[in-house]
Amino acid sequence: MTKEKKTCPHCGGVHDSKRRDPAEKKNLMNRLSRIEGQVRGLEKMIDEDAYCPDVLVQASAVSSAINSFNKALMAEHIRSCVVEDIKEGNEETIEELISVLQKLMK
């Protein structure tokens, strides 16, 4: 099944890409940079033979940061693309959203 690309009325892009507001992009990139730093910290802990519980706590912090990133991105997606698609009568967006949520909640 090939997914048809359509123009998003909110961002003007096709659904497999999105032009983001500069502030949103900066926020997401800052979150990713912090996550990257946390992962580097994990690597260093392993390299330096850190105590397992300490590594696990740091790994949990990375997981939490990724979840926060996903929540921020999902909230913006719902507020923009999903809302606009529903207003335009494109209800297949609801099924797409359900599918994404199911993948995120594995």
Side-chain angles (χ1 to χ4, degrees):
M1 180 164 98
T2 305
K3 190 171 182 179
E4 183 179 321
K5 295 179 184 180
K6 60 183 179 176
T7 303
C8 176
H10 175 73
C11 66
V14 292
H15 259 240
D16 62 347
S17 67
K18 176 181 176 175
R19 281 180 259 141
R20 289 183 170 74
D21 173 85
E24 176 194 0
K25 185 180 265 189
K26 182 178 180 181
N27 177 303
L28 292 172
M29 294 300 287
N30 285 342
R31 286 174 181 268
L32 289 173
S33 292
R34 283 193 299 274
I35 292 167
E36 182 180 23
Q38 288 176 311
V39 170
R40 275 192 252 106
L42 272 173
E43 291 173 338
K44 183 178 179 187
M45 291 175 84
I46 295 297
D47 187 52
E48 295 176 353
D49 298 323
Y51 187 51
C52 295
D54 295 338
V55 176
L56 290 167
V57 168
Q58 181 63 22
S60 179
V62 171
S63 182
S64 179
I66 290 171
N67 286 336
S68 292
F69 173 85
N70 285 342
K71 286 188 256 184
L73 185 58
M74 180 62 71
E76 181 55 33
H77 177 61
I78 291 169
R79 287 185 189 109
S80 58
C81 299
V82 173
V83 168
E84 291 300 320
D85 276 358
I86 290 170
K87 285 179 181 178
E88 296 289 322
N90 300 327
E91 293 189 16
E92 67 268 5
T93 296
I94 295 169
E95 292 305 315
E96 178 187 57
L97 179 60
I98 290 168
S99 175
V100 168
L101 288 170
Q102 288 172 339
K103 290 174 185 174
L104 289 174
M105 293 180 175
K106 283 186 177 178

